[in-house]
Amino acid sequence: MNVKSPAFSYCLLNLYSLYHTTIYRGVSAAEKQRRILAYLQASRTCHTLKDLEKTLPAVASINGMQVKEHIQALSDEGQLHVEKIGSGNWYWAWGGEEKKAREKTIDTLDKEVEKLLKSTGDLESKIMALKEEQRLEDARNHNGTREDNERERIALMKKKDQLETEIACLESNIKQRSEGDGPGSIAQKETDIARWKQEAQMWTDNIYILEEYLKRLTNGDREVLDAVRRECYGLAYIEGEGLADLDI
């Protein structure tokens, strides 16, 4: 193949592009930035962006178009210093700064850990105090409840004894009234009730006899007879009928 032919030039360009693409893709962004930072620290000098666009592609396996992007990322993270001097920006990084930054971070973390440990200790002490307070409160409540229950039990026992005494008295009275034959007994009351029924029937018959006598005196005047009935019978009088029947 003619090395001066367009086809050869095209193949060479493709191989070059493939080579650089493989190199660039094989290194992570973090590794590229680490290499850039190491280069700047080792150089111990300041650089312009134009200088870095020439030197960094070979150092970090990046193309010239990516230099500004990585430089900006390092600047944003505070790992790279940038200062505008004259008409352009100058970039630099010192080797001891990374160590100091790590030491500062470690010191900050140590202080945070110490603060957290102290807070944890304080919280544990408060928790223990609260648990002890709760235990004492539970003990007081338990004792108080037990004493209240005992007082209530004693009061209920007294009430029970009182009710049992009253029940025994009532049962004795019932037994005496049901089995005895003296005044106030059931047998005596039944006798009295039978006698009262007989007397009530007798007086009812007497009332009817008096009504017949009253009819003869009034010559059967219905109005006079009803007026006398109302006056004498009171609530026992039924209008138009006369004396109410006894329910015996």
Side-chain angles (χ1 to χ4, degrees), residues 123-135:
L123 288 175
E124 289 178 350
S125 299
K126 290 180 180 179
I127 290 172
M128 293 299 295
L130 288 173
K131 286 183 177 180
E132 179 63 17
E133 183 178 351
Q134 185 65 43
R135 186 187 67 79

Side-chain angles (χ1 to χ4, degrees), residues 63-112:
N63 58 49
M65 299 296 293
Q66 294 177 319
V67 170
K68 186 175 182 180
E69 177 184 345
H70 289 290
I71 291 297
Q72 185 63 46
L74 290 170
S75 299
D76 293 340
E77 293 175 1
Q79 300 184 59
L80 184 65
H81 295 283
V82 57
E83 187 71 31
K84 185 175 180 62
I85 301 176
S87 60
N89 292 332
W90 290 78
Y91 302 89
W92 72 92
W94 309 133
E97 289 182 342
E98 186 177 359
K99 181 180 178 181
K100 290 180 180 178
R102 285 198 301 269
E103 291 176 350
K104 183 178 180 181
T105 301
I106 292 172
D107 184 60
T108 302
L109 291 175
D110 288 340
K111 290 180 180 179
E112 289 293 330

Side-chain angles (χ1 to χ4, degrees), residues 167-204:
I167 291 172
C169 182
L170 291 173
E171 289 177 346
S172 176
N173 290 337
I174 292 173
K175 183 177 181 180
Q176 182 180 358
R177 291 176 182 274
S178 62
E179 296 179 357
D181 55 0
S185 65
I186 294 177
Q188 181 62 43
K189 289 186 179 297
E190 289 177 347
T191 301
D192 292 340
I193 290 171
R195 178 171 54 82
W196 293 336
K197 285 182 178 181
Q198 291 177 357
E199 292 178 356
Q201 187 63 51
M202 180 187 67
W203 286 109
T204 300

Side-chain angles (χ1 to χ4, degrees), residues 62 151 156:
I62 58 177
R151 285 195 293 269
L156 290 174

Side-chain angles (χ1 to χ4, degrees), residues 39-40 43-52 55 89-92:
Y39 169 77
L40 293 174
S43 68
R44 298 184 179 182
T45 186
C46 301
H47 305 269
T48 64
L49 181 61
K50 187 175 181 180
D51 294 337
L52 295 175
T55 58
N89 292 332
W90 290 78
Y91 302 89
W92 72 92

